[in-house]
Amino acid sequence: MRRICKTFVIIPTLFAISVAFLWASASPKVIAQTRSTFGPLAFLQGLFQAPWGGFDTGIFGSGFGPTSFALGDLDGDGDVDILVGDSFFGSPGISVLKNNGGQTFAAPVYYSLPLNQVVGEVALSDFDSDGDLDAFATIRGDFDQMLKIMVWRNNGNGTFSAPIEFATGQGPVGIVIADFTGDSKADVVTANYGGSSISILRHNGLTRNSAGFLAPVNSSTANHAEKIATADVNGDGILDVVVGGQVGTGFDSTLAVMINTGNGNFAAPVAYDAAPDARFDSTAVALADLDNDGDVDLIGGGLYSSGSTDNGAVTIRRNSGNGTFGSAEIIMFANFVPMPKELTTGRINNDGFVDIVAAVPSGRVPEGFVTITSNGASTQNGAVLRFKKNKTKNCIANQPLQDQGSIEQVSAGSDQNPLCSRRRGRR
């Protein structure tokens, strides 16, 4: 095992449950990116210096406790709106915050669910091929007993019709929506914590009111599937999945690589230790080509201990070129920085290499995340990024909210249900 020990500065205030960069795979309704006029160093130095703007996502009993979100143009006005997943047991459901067009958001519109229908994660996709983004949510339940997703059809103006349900395996949490069968229709794959499985819901190929999904096909992951990422892992032009989940009743987790053999049929999982020899393993998982060699690498994390000192860490396994992965490179965080709860990737400094952001909640404030910028080799360079914020954060994303050449960061949190955004500078 190759161990790389570097120290990184934590950005305070981020209790992240779901993290996403939407730079490389934006919806057709998400505004196109433009290139930065800054160099990489200037861009990094300017990150997170602008003030935050806060926006409520709900109140107690009406959209309380946001734990996931997705970004997209829901009303066709060219601005990016926000779909929030509300998971608090007293008021689960989804909330929609429409972009006012001036770096502000309208009051949330809440779509409630029964008390026990706790939302796992949310996503956006044009389910019925009418040109609008529809809302998806996994419904894990308050004890991971549910077996379904819900889909809210977009009425064309960013409001949603009553949800329709489709069956999954037990306790779905993570969700990815993509074409896994090669028919140019978006299928759904869920990571099912309660069932230790994934479910693929193949699109029926129909449109408008006839659109739907076929009965789910479940495949064992050999772990308590929670997080899921998708990419073409073995270079055959078909999307595969990797599922992060706890193993047994201890603190170990695996990243289960499941190769799509065609038409959404997944091979038996090949398990990789999320964090070899760690005290605790994270279920977080991400896939990205960190070294620009044409194949995606596998990213996980965990918590390492040495005496009385704990260090969160990111683990990187390089792709061998055929969908198998090598030994873990371990990148240590600073002392007492927690392990990643979520992982995401994106080109945050415009140097041509994909970088990593790890959300590192501790249950205390201040919270934060760690940025790990890649130089394309087997080591990563730490970026010193800071902001001051004392509200617990549940999710974060980077996305232009208007077509003005700037990148905004969006985060959502459970304390007083704030949703925050700020401009980070022109790209």
Side-chain angles (χ1 to χ4, degrees):
M1 177 190 306
R2 181 173 187 175
R3 181 178 293 254
I4 304 170
C5 297
K6 289 183 177 287
T7 298
F8 299 94
V9 175
I10 179 174
I11 306 174
T13 324
L14 182 66
F15 178 68
I17 299 267
S18 105
V19 186
F21 276 135
L22 303 179
W23 292 358
S25 58
S27 156
K29 284 200 156 189
V30 173
I31 300 164
Q33 305 283 328
T34 58
R35 291 194 61 82
S36 174
T37 56
F38 286 140
L41 181 59
F43 184 82
L44 280 173
Q45 290 173 338
L47 285 180
F48 308 121
Q49 294 178 356
W52 284 87
F55 307 94
D56 282 340
T57 63
I59 59 175
F60 184 81
S62 181
F64 191 72
T67 55
S68 62
F69 67 79
L71 304 178
D73 183 4
L74 298 177
D75 52 9
D77 64 355
D79 297 323
V80 174
D81 310 301
I82 302 178
L83 171 71
V84 179
D86 304 310
S87 298
F88 183 71
F89 71 91
S91 57
I94 62 170
S95 298
V96 174
L97 283 76
K98 290 187 179 181
N99 194 324
N100 290 327
Q103 307 301 315
T104 64
F105 291 88
V109 177
Y110 173 55
Y111 297 82
S112 65
L113 290 174
L115 297 185
N116 64 339
Q117 298 196 17
V118 172
V119 171
E121 293 182 4
V122 295
L124 291 168
S125 180
D126 186 3
F127 163 67
D128 48 13
S129 302
D130 65 352
D132 301 313
L133 293 175
D134 305 302
F136 290 70
T138 54
I139 309 300
R140 66 183 302 177
D142 47 359
F143 294 101
D144 292 311
Q145 79 279 25
M146 296 291 179
L147 300 100
K148 62 185 177 182
I149 62 169
M150 286 188 173
V151 181
W152 290 259
R153 295 178 188 270
N154 194 328
N155 295 320
N157 58 0
T159 65
F160 292 95
S161 301
I164 53 179
E165 300 180 359
F166 298 95
T168 67
Q170 183 181 345
V173 183
I175 181 171
V176 289
I177 305 177
D179 180 11
F180 291 96
T181 61
D183 64 355
S184 300
K185 294 291 185 180
D187 311 299
V188 171
V189 177
T190 62
N192 309 317
Y193 183 91
S196 297
S197 65
I198 60 171
S199 298
I200 180 168
L201 285 69
R202 295 180 174 89
H203 201 284
N204 66 6
L206 303 178
T207 62
R208 304 289 175 164
N209 290 336
S210 298
F213 294 105
L214 305 181
V217 176
N218 301 326
S219 301
S220 172
T221 59
N223 63 15
H224 290 295
E226 185 177 5
K227 305 298 183 183
I228 187 167
T230 185
D232 180 7
V233 168
N234 60 352
D236 63 355
I238 306 173
L239 290 176
D240 312 296
V241 297
V242 180
V243 184
Q246 180 186 5
V247 178
T249 58
F251 302 109
D252 294 331
S253 296
T254 61
L255 307 180
V257 178
M258 304 182 70
I259 299 298
N260 186 348
T261 59
N263 197 36
N265 297 307
F266 292 96
V270 177
Y272 292 87
D273 193 340
D277 303 318
R279 180 183 176 191
F280 300 105
D281 291 357
S282 172
T283 61
V285 61
L287 292 165
D289 183 0
L290 298 175
D291 45 18
N292 287 355
D293 65 352
D295 48 40
V296 295
D297 306 303
L298 179 61
I299 308 166
L303 184 75
Y304 289 82
S305 296
S306 177
S308 60
T309 302
D310 291 336
N311 300 83
V314 158
T315 63
I316 297 172
R317 295 179 185 269
R318 307 285 171 169
N319 197 322
S320 301
N322 59 1
T324 62
F325 296 91
S327 60
E329 304 165 14
I330 304 172
I331 303 175
M332 295 289 189
F333 303 156
N335 290 350
F336 306 111
V337 174
M339 71 179 181
K341 178 66 175 180
E342 293 286 350
L343 293 163
T344 191
T345 62
R347 291 182 172 87
I348 65 175
N349 60 358
N350 289 341
D351 67 351
F353 295 104
V354 174
D355 310 300
I356 302 170
V357 177
V360 287
S362 66
R364 302 180 298 273
V365 292
E367 299 278 356
F369 58 89
V370 175
T371 62
I372 306 164
T373 57
S374 174
N375 61 10
S378 59
T379 61
Q380 311 287 311
N381 299 319
V384 180
L385 305 175
R386 293 180 177 271
F387 65 86
K388 291 292 184 181
K389 204 76 177 171
N390 288 325
K391 296 299 180 186
T392 300
K393 292 290 176 281
N394 284 332
C395 22
I396 191 166
N398 288 277
Q399 175 66 44
L401 300 180
Q402 290 181 282
D403 192 11
Q404 296 178 345
S406 62
I407 296 174
E408 280 77 21
Q409 183 187 79
V410 181
S411 67
S414 58
D415 290 356
Q416 300 177 0
N417 307 299
L419 183 143
C420 303
S421 69
R422 73 166 129 185
R423 183 172 295 180
R424 292 168 41 184
R426 303 189 71 83
R427 286 157 294 142

